[in-house]
Amino acid sequence: MAPPLTRRTLLQSAILAAAVPGVGGAAASTASAAYTATALPPPAGWALQPFPLDTVRLGDGVFAAKRQLMLDHARGYDVNRLLQVFRANAGLSTLGAVAPGGWEGLDGEANGNLRGHYTGHFLTMLSQAYAGSGEQVYADRIGTMVGALTEVREALRRDPAVLSVAGRFGRAAEHVRGSHRYVDLPAGVLGGAAEVTLAAWVKPTHDGNWARVLDFGNDTTRYLYLVARNGNGVPRFAVTTGGPGAEQGLDGTAALPLHQWSHLAVTIGGGTGTLYVNGTAVARNTAMSLTPAALGTLAHHWLGRSHYASDPVFAGALGGFDAWSRALTADEITGLQGARVPGDLVSYAFDETSGSAFADSSGRGLTATLRRTWGAPSHPGFLAAYPETQFIQLESMTGSDYTRVWAPYYTAHKILRGLLDAHLATDDARALDLAAGMADWMYSRLSKLPEATLQRMWGLFSSGEFGGIVEAIVDLHALTGKAEHLALARLFDLDRLIDACAANTDVLDGLHANQHIPIFTGYVRLYDATGEERYLTAAKNFWDMVVPHRMYGIGGTSTGEFWKARDVIAGTISATTAETCCAYNLLKLSRTLFFHEQHPKYMEYYERALLNQVLGSRQDRADAEKPLVTYFIGLTPGHVRDYTPKQGTTCCEGTGMESATKYQDSVYFKAADGSALYVNLYSPTTLNWAEKGVTVTQSTDFPREQGTTLTVRGRTAPFSLRLRVPSWATAGFRVTVNGRQVSGTPTPGSYFPVSRTWRDGDTVRVSAPFRLRVEKALDDPSLQTLFLGPVNLVARNPSTSYLEFGLYRNAALSGDLLPSLTPVSGKPLHFTLDGTGFAPFFEGAEDPTHAYVRRAEPRVVFGNSDSGVPNPAKADGTTLLDEVWAGAPFSGKGALVTRVRGVVDAWVAGGLLGQADGERVVSTARGATFVP
């Protein structure tokens, strides 16, 4: 393969924008003979800016271990398998590769109508792997894929060309499955013959029924055809002038073998039809009154294509086709097995090795032409793994039908995003050229459609899903500066959703979650490019409608891929909860919003979803063939995670590959003016902040370690180090610099600033003690999920009913519930309670788990001392113990007893607790021993 082109050689005469328009909308651009930056220019409106992946190195720990599993998969998987569907669609050799299966092949769900999306994900994964590791193998694989996709686009631009393979005699023409190619014969092939012999050498490569070897006719009423497999899987010939109900036919007795040459022949003469397979007569019909002459002049004469739109195109090789104006004898048919004998009506040997024309050796000069069933792309920038018909059909659809059209613009987004990431990671200008061509093609289609058509398309469930295409197009515009590209991004406005969310009207009930989350990341980027406030306002309000109102404890959202009513959590728990793609896209949206508004809630969510659902969605074992990522994470009791969903290659496995190769992307952000460094996540990493001439290294085993140490090396540099104080860090968060405590009071759910002129060797120690707490389902407070600091703990138990646990029995004076659990020696973050083990959600095991448990505190217990008094509850479900411990932390035992006395007196006065029982409760509290 030729070495990658550079931007300079490809774009030396282009003028590209080097900056995105600011929030005010003014275009701040510079002209250049060649765009030479290696990263996207940050929008002028971002108060914070990210660091490129290659400037943050991931150290040893839970994230690096998970990443290594995915890096090994990325290194070992045969990319030709991913490219198979692209090459097939373009009529190129697939090099013997087998498509991955699942959603990436013609036999998967909905006939593979989403094929190509996974290739885009894989390109993004490789790009991130290269940026994060620097290993050349990933760049080489990117180059292979980009080179192949360049060849695919060139092949799609041209008329189809014969794919020549070895034939029964000489050469043959191969029709790769998925290429939608057929041979178009000129009119008059049969010459109105009253008798006829049709013969063909075929090597089928797929067992699909009703794929035509030949179909000569006008429509589905008047025709004759020959198939390698009918509905029963055997060869069939039929002729009719009255549709399928009036067919006169011949059926074989056995299926043709796949990947082997077979000879099919049909003779009609004197009212008798005979079907031959490999020279042997297998069927005879003495009542075949219809002949080619009876059909009259026909409109089409096709090899490999059917007049029935639902029939597959023939997949395999054609080694010859001949027609004679008489019925050959049995001996003559037998003779065709050993030598070529040209027909007198038409004869094609398919010996051509190039071009799209097939010579006729009958002497009649009836040259045939190789064609695509769907014609040619509407624009030279078209690139896909299936015909453009998916996009064309969408424009007239009024209802969803993913078996016909399954999210073609979603698939286009994944390819576009992958190409952009490939370009940014490796400086391969071919990738940018492919991406820009795709945008040019989309603009050429969509800009011609009425506004009403666009709104209808984007509102269709599944079929109209377009993923994060707006974000990708705005990023592309940042590189090209082409006005049409920004205009294209705005053609994906879904106005009714934008307007509702901008008005803070919650319309999410019933919507498909992952269809809509990435839309808003794109709209934030449109705000960056245009300054239109409604985009940003809508995105902020949308985020607040999901978090926490439709969020499970692990950070996931959706049930069965859809949202239900606001604040219904317990009522939506199912085996198909928390689609993994949703978490991936909510992380992207949270990150993007944080660049505009430094509200800690966005990074609070980021930590929650990343450390729990995203990490836990990857199984903890290696696999060369599958990325082993969940689709759904069921939160029903005893759920076992499925790490190989739908035979692989789903959307969630695609985003899972991406997530696992960019764990470091949001650990640090910098202020746009360079005045501050935000430490958002506690993770073992090393940041190279080139502008400041410093590195910042975090040394930690977080979350197995409750804190981190940051070391600044390099030249002297003044800036504010802003350390996130997690909302779960309610006690003991402490910061020292070079051993001295930093003054100030860290507030949970904020950022703690440490401003100084940093010198080489300065060391910052952050202590963030964990406490065990519960989070209650919004619609059922008794259903709770456990957290130790940021770590979600799940019970491991095969029961399919909610487990019941009490947690107040040995609660600490601080309010920490952890003393009620017993730690497992030698296994950090593992505990037992009542004989059941609890483990971090992020461990990718296959044990049956309980993410939610039923809280049951039947009796009043303090410090493991049981009062024997039933724990009473108010009408809203609040128990006496709930009210007591709501006063934590307590400065000492006396303060706790005082709290107990006050609560008991109030409950006795309210008739909720008897006087004697109340005194026993107070007495038990006085006599109990408490953990501080």
Side-chain angles (χ1 to χ4, degrees):
M1 185 184 68
L5 300 172
T6 65
R7 291 188 185 91
R8 187 167 300 279
T9 57
L10 181 68
L11 303 176
Q12 58 185 357
S13 62
I15 297 178
L16 301 176
V20 185
V23 173
S29 62
T30 59
S32 172
Y35 183 83
T36 57
T38 58
L40 285 170
W46 284 7
L48 297 183
Q49 297 173 359
F51 289 95
L53 280 181
D54 60 359
T55 65
V56 183
R57 180 171 53 82
L58 194 61
D60 291 340
V62 294
F63 288 103
K66 293 272 189 178
R67 183 182 73 163
Q68 190 59 51
L69 293 170
M70 200 63 79
L71 290 178
D72 290 343
H73 175 71
R75 183 185 294 107
Y77 193 83
D78 181 5
V79 296
N80 285 309
R81 296 187 63 190
L82 300 169
L83 295 165
Q84 195 269 355
V85 289
F86 284 90
R87 286 170 166 150
N89 188 51
L92 298 173
S93 171
T94 59
L95 308 181
V98 177
W103 289 1
E104 278 296 314
L106 289 162
D107 296 315
E109 192 170 355
N111 305 311
N113 283 346
L114 213 64
R115 59 190 183 275
H117 80 114
Y118 202 70
T119 297
H121 285 299
F122 209 90
L123 272 171
T124 292
M125 173 181 65
L126 290 174
S127 301
Q128 293 173 173
Y130 179 53
S133 72
E135 293 186 41
Q136 186 62 32
V137 61
Y138 302 117
D140 292 342
R141 310 197 97 208
I142 291 168
T144 295
M145 296 180 73
V146 170
L149 292 175
T150 301
E151 293 171 359
V152 164
R153 188 180 67 174
E154 290 306 308
L156 288 170
R157 288 176 170 183
R158 301 188 302 264
D159 289 335
V162 63
L163 187 58
S164 181
V165 295
R168 179 64 176 80
F169 305 106
R171 305 300 295 173
E174 184 177 24
H175 294 255
V176 176
R177 186 162 179 248
S179 65
H180 300 273
R181 305 169 104 195
Y182 69 102
V183 180
D184 189 13
L185 311 185
V189 166
L190 298 181
E195 293 188 358
V196 72
T197 297
L198 306 171
W201 281 102
V202 296
K203 185 167 72 171
T205 55
H206 185 253
D207 59 1
N209 293 340
W210 298 115
R212 302 301 203 255
V213 174
L214 63 88
D215 192 336
F216 298 168
N218 292 337
D219 45 34
T220 56
T221 300
R222 182 178 295 269
Y223 55 78
L224 63 81
Y225 68 77
L226 175 64
V227 296
R229 298 174 63 91
N230 64 3
N232 295 317
V234 299
R236 174 174 172 80
F237 172 83
V239 58
T240 182
T241 58
E247 287 183 358
Q248 297 178 6
L250 297 159
D251 292 301
T253 57
L256 296 186
L258 298 181
H259 309 291
Q260 294 182 29
W261 285 107
S262 295
H263 187 262
L264 293 175
V266 176
T267 63
I268 300 177
T272 297
T274 307
L275 173 65
Y276 295 85
V277 177
N278 294 326
T280 300
V282 296
R284 180 169 284 108
N285 185 344
T286 58
M288 292 195 72
S289 58
L290 294 176
T291 66
L295 295 178
T297 302
L298 298 176
H300 308 123
H301 300 82
W302 296 334
L303 301 182
R305 180 181 180 182
S306 172
H307 281 88
Y308 287 85
S310 61
D311 288 342
V313 178
F314 176 77
L318 297 175
F321 173 72
D322 293 273
W324 290 263
S325 58
R326 62 184 179 86
L328 298 185
T329 67
D331 288 343
E332 288 176 309
I333 296 294
T334 301
L336 298 178
Q337 311 307 300
R340 281 180 174 167
V341 179
D344 65 321
L345 289 177
V346 74
S347 179
Y348 303 106
F350 300 116
D351 278 332
E352 290 80 2
T353 58
S354 62
S356 58
F358 298 108
D360 170 26
S361 58
S362 70
R364 300 177 67 202
L366 298 177
T367 301
T369 305
L370 183 65
R371 303 191 189 279
R372 299 186 187 96
T373 61
W374 55 280
S378 64
H379 186 281
F382 175 75
L383 176 63
Y386 47 64
E388 196 174 1
T389 49
Q390 283 276 300
F391 299 89
I392 297 169
Q393 289 181 67
L394 177 62
E395 294 167 6
S396 60
M397 290 180 70
T398 57
S400 179
D401 182 356
Y402 87 133
T403 64
R404 288 179 54 220
V405 176
W406 191 6
Y409 284 97
Y410 173 95
T411 305
H413 160 244
K414 300 308 176 188
I415 300 167
L416 177 63
R417 179 78 265 170
L419 290 168
L420 281 175
D421 292 337
H423 167 68
L424 294 169
T426 66
D427 198 28
D428 190 336
R430 297 173 303 174
L432 178 61
D433 184 54
L434 288 169
M438 287 186 70
D440 293 342
W441 154 70
M442 283 186 276
Y443 183 74
S444 74
R445 288 209 70 85
L446 297 177
S447 62
K448 295 179 175 64
L449 297 178
E451 177 66 20
T453 299
L454 292 172
Q455 295 297 320
R456 172 172 47 77
M457 286 166 55
W458 308 145
L460 288 176
F461 159 62
S462 189
S463 297
E465 184 175 355
F466 55 78
I469 200 166
V470 176
E471 177 195 17
I473 294 170
V474 175
D475 285 352
L476 174 66
H477 173 255
L479 296 175
T480 67
K482 195 170 182 179
E484 290 84 355
H485 292 165
L486 184 58
L488 170 63
R490 303 188 70 161
L491 292 175
F492 288 92
D493 281 5
L494 183 53
D495 287 332
R496 70 172 182 271
L497 182 64
I498 298 172
D499 294 342
C501 290
N504 207 17
T505 302
D506 191 329
V507 294
L508 303 191
D509 188 5
L511 290 184
H512 183 262
N514 197 52
Q515 181 166 345
H516 295 88
I517 299 169
I519 290 177
F520 285 95
T521 304
Y523 291 156
V524 177
R525 295 291 287 114
L526 264 178
Y527 164 77
D528 295 333
T530 67
E532 289 192 24
E533 289 285 346
R534 74 173 189 135
Y535 290 128
L536 182 60
T537 301
K540 288 180 179 180
N541 290 341
F542 166 81
W543 192 94
D544 286 330
M545 294 171 192
V546 178
V547 181
H549 301 288
R550 293 177 172 88
M551 182 195 74
Y552 303 103
I554 58 173
T557 187
S558 80
T559 182
E561 299 193 6
F562 287 82
W563 281 310
K564 303 299 182 185
R566 186 182 180 106
D567 294 331
V568 178
I569 300 299
T572 60
I573 287 176
S574 72
T576 56
T577 314
E579 184 185 357
T580 305
C581 274
C582 295
Y584 165 89
N585 279 309
L586 271 175
L587 287 177
K588 290 193 74 172
L589 177 59
S590 302
R591 181 178 191 263
T592 306
L593 287 171
F594 193 68
F595 292 145
H596 295 84
E597 179 184 27
Q598 287 68 64
H599 198 299
K601 67 183 180 183
Y602 297 125
M603 285 298 111
E604 290 283 338
Y605 174 80
Y606 203 98
E607 178 186 66
R608 173 194 296 267
L610 181 66
L611 190 58
N612 295 292
Q613 172 155 4
V614 171
L615 268 188
S617 68
R618 178 43 165 103
Q619 190 173 13
D620 293 333
R621 71 177 180 86
D623 192 289
E625 290 300 305
K626 298 286 190 294
L628 299 182
V629 176
T630 58
Y631 191 110
F632 298 114
I633 292 184
L635 300 179
T636 50
H639 179 79
V640 177
R641 292 176 212 169
D642 180 5
Y643 297 100
T644 53
K646 298 175 180 284
Q647 294 79 53
T649 68
T650 65
C651 52
C652 292
E653 285 156 301
T655 54
M657 292 190 302
E658 295 184 32
S659 292
T661 47
K662 63 168 185 174
Y663 289 138
Q664 74 272 38
D665 77 336
S666 297
V667 176
Y668 309 99
F669 296 148
K670 60 184 176 182
D673 61 2
S675 63
L677 177 67
Y678 281 69
V679 181
N680 305 307
L681 302 171
Y682 299 120
S683 174
T685 47
T686 297
L687 165 68
N688 179 15
W689 193 359
E691 298 96 324
K692 292 289 184 182
V694 301
T695 63
V696 178
T697 299
Q698 276 197 70
S699 301
T700 180
D701 195 25
F702 191 92
R704 298 187 181 105
E705 178 183 345
Q706 299 182 21
T708 189
T709 300
L710 297 99
T711 303
V712 180
R713 303 308 302 257
R715 65 173 181 242
T716 300
F719 59 88
S720 175
L721 187 66
R722 297 183 181 268
L723 304 165
R724 188 172 67 85
V725 185
S727 60
W728 48 260
T730 54
F733 189 93
R734 184 169 178 265
V735 179
T736 63
V737 175
N738 299 329
R740 292 187 177 183
Q741 185 166 349
V742 178
S743 61
T745 303
T747 302
S750 70
Y751 279 78
F752 184 70
V754 181
S755 300
R756 60 185 275 126
T757 297
W758 299 91
R759 292 175 172 81
D760 184 45
D762 281 349
T763 301
V764 179
R765 176 62 193 168
V766 178
S767 297
F770 293 178
R771 296 174 58 188
L772 183 70
R773 71 187 193 283
V774 298
E775 289 188 2
K776 303 174 181 179
L778 299 175
D779 51 332
D780 183 355
S782 72
L783 201 63
Q784 302 178 359
T785 186
L786 277 62
F787 280 86
L788 181 61
V791 179
N792 184 240
L793 296 179
V794 294
R796 289 180 174 172
N797 189 296
S799 172
T800 54
S801 299
Y802 284 114
L803 303 176
E804 293 189 354
F805 293 103
L807 296 170
Y808 287 138
R809 66 186 70 176
N810 196 30
L813 292 173
S814 64
D816 189 355
L817 301 172
L818 186 60
S820 292
L821 276 62
T822 302
V824 177
S825 178
K827 297 188 71 175
L829 304 176
H830 283 247
F831 304 88
T832 61
L833 177 62
D834 296 341
T836 294
F838 282 80
F841 187 96
F842 65 68
E843 292 185 352
E846 292 182 285
D847 300 295
T849 61
H850 294 247
Y852 282 87
V853 299
R854 187 72 68 186
R855 187 72 175 275
E857 307 279 357
R859 291 188 307 280
V860 177
V861 181
F862 292 110
N864 284 327
S865 296
D866 191 339
S867 71
V869 176
N871 183 24
K874 295 180 177 179
D876 65 358
T878 301
T879 70
L880 182 143
L881 283 174
D882 289 335
E883 197 158 309
V884 167
W885 287 104
F890 301 106
S891 58
K893 178 177 175 179
L896 172 85
V897 173
T898 299
R899 173 74 177 185
V900 172
R901 176 85 270 175
V903 172
V904 164
D905 288 347
W907 282 56
V908 170
L912 298 171
L913 181 68
Q915 183 69 45
D917 283 346
E919 292 306 317
R920 279 196 295 274
V921 168
V922 175
S923 176
T924 300
R926 286 198 186 103
T929 300
F930 293 92
V931 177

